[in-house]
Amino acid sequence: MATLVCFHAHPDDEAIATGGVMAQAAADGHRVVLVVATRGEEGEVAPGVLGPGEPLEERRTAELSAAAAILGLHRVEFLGYRDSGMMGTPTNDDPASFWQADVDEAAGRLAAILGEEGAAALTTYDDNGVYGHPDHVQVHRVGVRAAELARTPRVYEATLDRDQMRTGLEEVLRTRPAPELVEMAEGMLANDGPHMGVAGGRITTRVDVTRWVDVKRSALRAHASQVPPDSWFLRAPPDQFLRMFGTESFILRGAPPGTSEDRLGLG
């Protein structure tokens, strides 16, 4: 059995981007470790979600622990940086933010975990952080460097198939979904050019996580401060949710042209 380490920016990213492959790997008997750069201090929260005086980072840490149990993870670690917020906001300039972190220093923290675990594979994000969030871009930079330092043999860049996403969103819109989904889908379609995912031809690894999609949805439900019960993610009919999240896509770094995998290589 091998060890898979998944590196993410904030609590809840793990469920969205790699929840299926993590649940699958754990069920197959592999060791699965989650490393998160920040505690998501800058996340948006609906009024009334937090208790009086409750810090968001404490709530999101507890939510991550619950999601990790649902996914069957063996270890969860935080690198200790602060959420940088969306690109162009003042929080990007906070010296404690992940965006401001020295890449080699942060990579050293992650590489230490990769070395302890003898990781067979690491997941990070594509070079645009999937959609340009500064912490996601930094996850790519730090993850790639950490794998070099630890000599981790396989590095997978989690991403979205831009072409498949457009087709899926257009199909969902034809079903006359809830108004909030219409707004979300139209916004994503309007901005999915170079800012969202990658062209399908760049993807080397497409993992069908249909078997684990209900587990993935349950893990999302655990992140209630970010994914409230009335959100489309939790209210969508199962077939719509499956179309959007039933496949997880990756780019295997250094893979020869024409590489096509249907699961992460863990041994």
Side-chain angles (χ1 to χ4, degrees):
M1 294 297 103
T3 298
L4 169 66
V5 175
C6 293
F7 183 35
H8 287 282
H10 318 99
D12 81 354
D13 290 334
E14 84 293 337
I16 296 168
T18 61
V21 296
M22 289 193 294
Q24 180 183 67
D28 287 344
H30 297 295
R31 180 170 171 83
V32 184
V33 175
L34 171 63
V35 182
V36 187
T38 82
R39 295 180 188 268
E41 295 89 343
E42 295 300 317
E44 295 183 4
V45 186
V49 170
L50 298 178
E54 181 182 14
L56 177 57
E57 59 266 31
E58 289 186 8
R59 170 67 72 88
R60 296 193 72 177
T61 300
E63 290 173 347
L64 183 64
S65 179
I70 291 167
L71 294 169
L73 309 188
H74 299 88
R75 178 183 178 186
V76 177
E77 295 287 347
F78 288 93
L79 289 192
Y81 296 98
R82 197 179 190 288
D83 187 345
S84 307
M86 297 300 289
M87 189 69 82
T89 60
T91 50
N92 296 172
D93 300 324
D94 187 334
S97 72
F98 190 44
W99 184 238
Q100 294 296 325
D102 178 83
V103 169
D104 279 344
E105 191 275 337
R109 298 187 193 186
L110 177 57
I113 297 171
L114 293 171
E116 288 170 17
E117 294 289 347
L122 169 71
T123 71
T124 179
Y125 301 138
D126 65 38
D127 54 6
N128 189 47
V130 184
Y131 69 103
H133 189 293
D135 287 333
H136 286 237
V137 174
Q138 192 77 318
V139 161
H140 168 80
R141 296 170 179 169
V142 170
V144 169
R145 180 60 179 143
E148 293 173 351
L149 294 173
R151 298 185 179 179
T152 302
R154 296 172 78 86
V155 178
Y156 287 92
E157 299 179 6
T159 190
L160 289 173
D161 183 328
R162 187 185 304 151
D163 308 323
Q164 189 177 66
M165 182 188 71
R166 172 174 283 278
T167 299
L169 286 170
E170 290 172 343
E171 182 179 350
V172 167
L173 285 175
R174 284 195 294 272
T175 67
R176 300 190 179 186
E180 65 268 24
L181 177 58
V182 173
E183 182 179 357
M184 180 189 77
E186 289 179 344
M188 292 176 72
L189 287 169
N191 294 288
D192 74 346
H195 306 292
M196 184 71 72
V198 300
R202 289 187 58 192
I203 293 173
T204 64
T205 311
R206 290 179 171 84
V207 184
D208 180 351
V209 297
T210 299
R211 182 180 174 188
W212 306 106
V213 77
D214 289 340
V215 175
K216 182 170 179 170
R217 198 168 190 172
S218 294
L220 271 174
R221 187 176 290 110
H223 293 284
S225 70
Q226 305 301 298
V227 188
D230 62 351
S231 71
W232 174 83
F233 293 98
L234 300 183
R235 291 175 52 227
D239 62 324
Q240 288 186 3
F241 189 86
L242 181 62
R243 280 198 293 272
M244 294 297 293
F245 298 104
T247 300
E248 292 176 356
S249 300
F250 303 87
I251 302 166
L252 174 60
R253 287 185 64 81
T259 296
S260 179
E261 301 178 312
D262 61 7
R263 62 191 301 116
L264 302 188
L266 293 176

